[in-house]
């Protein structure tokens, strides 16, 4: 059902936890549906220097969170916004069809955390 | 060296017993005759089927001619429900069941609803047991059938089928029970229960997969399951699964022979497991009645985590179990049974079903109690829902 890579990321997830001084934070998903991803980004000069996550969900949800945080690290905001759910799934050597929604959640989490960062930046400039 | 697996999913299936396989083997090899033929090879096969029928009848306290072989529990349920509905539709089109039945009952009933039948789904109490009084209140003038499972496959609760059958008999309503999880776990006596139809499946009590039986009380008005040859007294056409039927017969004989001893041993292990989990882990609940449940079943919900992740981590530790999680089925909704007993969606997602069997030992329970708290704790540390709790909110 799951690729070796999905299982490896599930058993040894990278970047689990919180970033104290994160400047982009977002939570997507719904506990009712069984999946919540919370993503923390530390962005400096338009570059994502650190990313962490907390996830309530299945094996695929944890693995996609882990892979998504790995993929955004070191990227510019623009580059990170280009990451699609398909790219996350491919990086994990694929996901079963009924688990593709987990990769969609990962893409949404990245976008929402960047959006949070951008809105905070906007507020700061306005102040 | 083969990796050790601790198997805790006996409600899903049980391993085939060596003695059962030994009885089946000749009918897969040299005794290959079609039981409908008249020569010796065929007669031998027929004789083997009839011996199995006697064994099933004896185990259920039924008459031999009341036992019909099927391809398993799902077929037995489908036959019972559709067969009774079609044969009695001139009397009425109303059927009563509960909200916690297996899909093998709920889905055929949905199908019947599409054909104009009406179904009342009686809710269960928070302990996972249906109140017979509520079943009584659901009865209408046009009720033709009541189908209530004997034991639930997820939470193991034992239903008051005998009381329900008594109520139904006063109104001459046909009663079916899905006893797939109950046979081989608790005593099942069709006369004592007072049911008209009862479904069972061989692989739930150390028999082969793909074979089951339907008890049909003499005189019950029911349509045949399939039309074709004259097999199963013209009610279920198709060449019989001889080896499977032989296996079912042997398995039910073995399963009912030492039932009290078997159940008492499992019950001790189950109670140790329940006490251990409830004392070692916080934010956990036992689903289903504490005592009125199958001796083999324990079903827990761990808050703030998701069941499939729990199963995967248990698997990495060599433990095979089951979950009420929707993730494994592709649906976003968790188990209808857990929702029916009042669990919130997010709590129902974090459920674990442990079902014990013959090979489980006290050491297996100790091992589970050793690894489970670590796994739950590890998943909670990863969970944004638990983060909130740690910070004092919910």
């Amino acid at each position: 059902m799951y690729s070796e890579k999905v299982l490896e990321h599930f058993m040894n997830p990278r970047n689990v936890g919180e970033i104290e001084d994160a400047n982009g934070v977002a939570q997507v998903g719904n506990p009712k549906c069984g999946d919540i991803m919370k993503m923390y980004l530390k962005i400096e000069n338009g570059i994502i220097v650190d990313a962490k996550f907390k996830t309530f969900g299945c094996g695929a949800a944890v693995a996609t969170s882990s892979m998504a945080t790995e993929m955004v690290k070191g990227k510019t905001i623009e580059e990170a916004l280009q990451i699609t759910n398909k790219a996350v799934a491919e990086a994990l050597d694929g996901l079963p069809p009924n688990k593709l929604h987990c990769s969609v959640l990962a893409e949404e989490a990245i976008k929402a955390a960047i959006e949070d960062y951008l809105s905070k930046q906007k507020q700061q400039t306005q102040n | 060296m083969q990796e050790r697996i601790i198997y805790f999913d006996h409600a899903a299936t049980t391993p085939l017993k060596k003695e059962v396989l030994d009885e089946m083997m000749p009918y897969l090899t040299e005794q290959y005759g079609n039981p409908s033929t008249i020569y010796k090879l065929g007669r031998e096969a027929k004789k083997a089927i009839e011996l199995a029928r006697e064994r099933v009848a004896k185990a259920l306290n039924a008459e031999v001619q009341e036992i019909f072989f099927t391809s398993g529990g799902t077929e037995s349920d489908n036959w019972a429900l559709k067969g009774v509905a079609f044969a009695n539709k001139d009397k009425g089109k109303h059927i009563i069941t509960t909200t916690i039945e297996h899909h093998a009952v709920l889905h055929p009933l949905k199908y019947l609803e599409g054909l104009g039948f009406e179904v009342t789904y009686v809710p269960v109490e928070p302990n996972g047991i249906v109140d017979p009084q509520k079943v009584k209140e659901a009865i209408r003038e046009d009720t033709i059938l009541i189908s209530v499972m004997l034991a639930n496959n997820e939470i193991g609760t034992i239903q008051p089928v005998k009381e329900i059958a008594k109520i139904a008999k006063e109104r001459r309503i046909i009663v079916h029970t899905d006893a797939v999880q109950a046979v081989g776990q608790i005593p099942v006596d069709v006369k004592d229960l007072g049911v008209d139809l009862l479904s069972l499946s061989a692989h739930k009590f150390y028999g082969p997969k793909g074979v089951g039986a339907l008890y049909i009380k003499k005189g019950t008005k029911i349509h045949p399951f399939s039309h074709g040859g004259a097999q199963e007294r013209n009610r279920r056409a198709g060449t019989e699964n001889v080896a499977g039927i032989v296996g079912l017969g042997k398995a039910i004989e073995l399963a009912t022979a030492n039932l009290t001893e078997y159940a008492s041993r499992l019950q001790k292990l189950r109670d140790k497991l329940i006490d251990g989990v409830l004392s070692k882990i916080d934010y956990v609940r036992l689903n289903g009645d504490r005592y009125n449940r199958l001796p083999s079943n324990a079903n827990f919900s761990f808050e703030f985590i998701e069941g499939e992740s729990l199963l995967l981590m248990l698997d990495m530790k060599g433990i095979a179990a089951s979950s009420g999680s929707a993730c494994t089925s592709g649906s976003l909704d968790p188990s209808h049974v857990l929702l029916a007993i009042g669990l919130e969606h997010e709590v129902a997602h974090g459920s674990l079903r442990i079902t014990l069997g013959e090979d489980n030992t006290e050491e297996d329970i100790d091992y589970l109690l050793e690894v489970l708290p670590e796994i739950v704790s590890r998943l909670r540390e990863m969970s944004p829902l638990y983060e909130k709790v740690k910070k004092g909110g919910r």
Side-chain angles (χ1 to χ4, degrees):
Chain A
M1 180 184 173
Y2 285 139
S3 70
E4 285 301 315
K5 211 160 178 183
V6 170
L7 289 174
E8 204 279 316
H9 270 264
F10 170 73
M11 285 313 289
N12 305 295
R14 281 62 146 177
N15 314 309
V16 177
E18 300 169 44
I19 299 174
E20 288 293 316
D21 57 346
N23 47 9
V25 182
Q27 184 169 303
V28 295
N30 184 336
K32 213 176 159 188
C33 303
D35 284 313
I36 298 181
M37 272 182 208
K38 191 168 183 181
M39 188 149 315
Y40 299 83
L41 298 179
K42 173 79 182 156
I43 302 171
E44 285 172 4
N45 304 320
I47 292 170
I48 300 170
V49 293
D50 199 8
K52 286 197 187 296
F53 78 92
K54 285 214 168 177
T55 289
F56 160 80
C58 62
V62 172
T64 52
S65 307
S66 167
M67 181 53 84
T69 49
E70 283 289 88
M71 286 171 80
V72 296
K73 278 206 280 188
K75 288 206 166 53
T76 63
I77 292 171
E78 291 73 26
E79 286 168 340
L81 285 170
Q82 298 305 310
I83 295 171
T84 60
N85 77 300
K86 205 176 157 213
V88 177
E90 276 170 7
L92 287 165
D93 293 341
L95 285 171
N98 63 337
K99 298 287 182 174
L100 280 171
H101 70 274
C102 296
S103 62
V104 173
L105 216 58
E107 181 189 322
E108 283 173 5
I110 297 170
K111 289 192 163 69
I114 292 175
E115 211 169 282
D116 177 58
Y117 165 76
L118 293 174
S119 71
K120 279 174 184 160
Q121 291 295 106
K122 206 173 161 187
Q123 266 180 357
Q124 274 178 4
T125 1
Q126 279 168 356
N127 293 338
Chain B
M1 198 177 76
Q2 207 182 351
E3 198 185 327
R4 187 189 173 207
I5 293 175
I6 298 180
Y7 187 71
F8 280 140
D9 201 14
H10 294 83
T13 196
T14 53
L16 186 69
K17 264 191 185 159
K18 172 79 170 61
E19 303 97 296
V20 175
L21 178 65
D22 287 347
E23 286 221 10
M24 290 171 66
M25 277 310 278
Y27 299 94
L28 292 164
T29 53
E30 70 267 23
Q31 294 285 0
Y32 52 81
N34 185 324
S36 295
T37 54
I38 57 161
Y39 43 80
K40 194 167 184 284
L41 263 183
R43 289 200 310 271
E44 290 299 324
K46 180 79 178 159
K47 220 161 92 183
I49 289 176
E50 294 317 313
L51 171 64
R53 205 183 308 276
E54 280 170 33
R55 284 168 161 173
V56 176
K58 191 180 170 204
L60 301 178
N61 192 24
E63 307 299 321
V64 172
Q65 64 272 29
E66 294 174 323
I67 304 301
F68 295 84
F69 293 113
T70 66
S71 67
T74 296
E75 184 184 310
S76 297
D77 287 342
N78 270 265
W79 183 8
L81 300 166
K82 293 178 198 167
V84 167
F86 295 153
N88 295 275
K89 64 174 192 275
D90 54 326
K91 287 184 195 157
K93 286 197 161 187
H94 182 238
I95 299 167
I96 298 171
T97 192
T98 77
T99 49
I100 61 162
E101 298 298 311
H102 191 275
H103 286 141
V105 165
L106 294 177
H107 290 175
L109 287 178
K110 279 275 166 238
Y111 170 77
L112 287 171
E113 282 182 290
L115 296 179
F117 287 89
E118 288 175 39
V119 181
T120 299
Y121 300 87
V122 180
V124 295
E125 302 304 303
N127 66 352
I129 297 172
V130 70
D131 179 354
Q133 189 56 34
K134 289 192 178 158
V135 175
K136 189 177 182 177
E137 286 160 14
I139 294 174
R140 305 190 326 205
E141 280 303 312
D142 60 341
T143 305
I144 51 169
L145 171 67
I146 299 176
S147 181
V148 175
M149 68 199 331
L150 192 47
N152 183 266
N153 52 305
E154 289 188 40
I155 57 175
T157 46
I158 298 166
Q159 304 301 318
V161 172
K162 188 176 173 177
E163 286 173 74
I164 291 166
K166 205 174 157 204
I167 293 165
K169 288 301 109 180
E170 289 163 6
R171 308 282 199 98
R172 295 184 166 193
I173 298 166
I174 296 171
V175 179
H176 165 249
T177 189
D178 172 354
V180 165
Q181 292 292 335
V183 173
Q185 297 260 337
I186 56 171
V188 176
D189 179 324
V190 289
K191 290 197 175 74
D192 182 53
L193 285 171
V195 294
D196 303 292
L197 302 124
L198 181 142
S199 308
L200 61 86
S201 177
H203 74 108
K204 305 293 184 179
F205 46 84
Y206 307 92
K209 292 170 185 66
V211 60
L214 179 65
Y215 156 77
I216 306 174
K217 190 181 170 182
K218 234 182 298 172
T220 306
K221 215 174 152 195
I222 185 167
H223 272 194
F225 177 75
S226 56
H227 302 87
Q231 292 93 349
E232 296 299 284
R233 298 170 67 217
N234 290 308
R235 285 177 153 182
R236 201 260 186 191
T239 303
E240 297 90 338
N241 169 9
V242 182
I245 290 169
V246 167
L248 165 59
K250 182 65 180 172
I252 203 165
E253 184 180 71
L254 293 172
T256 47
N258 300 308
L259 191 58
T260 315
E261 193 190 322
Y262 173 73
S264 145
R265 196 179 78 78
L266 291 198
Q267 194 169 313
K268 273 184 202 149
L269 294 179
R270 179 202 70 187
D271 290 343
K272 178 182 168 124
L273 170 67
I274 291 174
D275 292 338
V277 168
L278 297 182
S279 65
K280 281 172 181 263
I281 303 174
D282 54 7
Y283 299 110
V284 59
R285 61 166 280 170
L286 174 72
N287 296 316
D289 193 85
R290 175 72 169 86
Y291 301 103
N292 198 2
R293 67 191 306 134
L294 291 175
S296 60
N297 177 293
N299 187 311
F300 306 99
S301 287
F302 302 95
E303 287 190 61
F304 322 118
I305 61 174
E306 200 276 335
E308 192 212 78
S309 291
L310 186 57
L311 288 191
L312 283 173
M313 285 206 175
L314 284 169
D315 183 37
M316 303 292 174
K317 297 278 185 185
I319 294 171
S322 169
S323 161
S325 162
C327 253
T328 45
S329 67
S331 148
L332 290 181
D333 283 328
S335 134
H336 67 283
V337 175
L338 299 177
L339 296 181
I341 59 169
L343 263 66
E344 289 174 357
H345 273 68
E346 47 267 56
V347 178
H349 278 298
S351 297
L352 174 70
R353 180 184 72 177
I354 301 287
T355 46
L356 308 170
E358 203 163 76
D359 293 336
N360 291 130
T361 61
E362 208 161 333
E363 287 72 39
D364 293 346
I365 304 294
D366 289 335
Y367 178 62
L368 179 63
L369 289 173
E370 183 192 319
V371 300
L372 189 60
E374 288 172 15
I375 291 174
V376 169
S377 166
R378 194 174 160 202
L379 288 171
R380 281 181 179 165
E381 283 308 314
M382 214 189 283
S383 166
L385 298 176
Y386 191 58
E387 181 187 311
K388 268 197 201 165
V389 173
K390 280 205 302 184
K391 289 176 179 167
R394 281 304 288 265

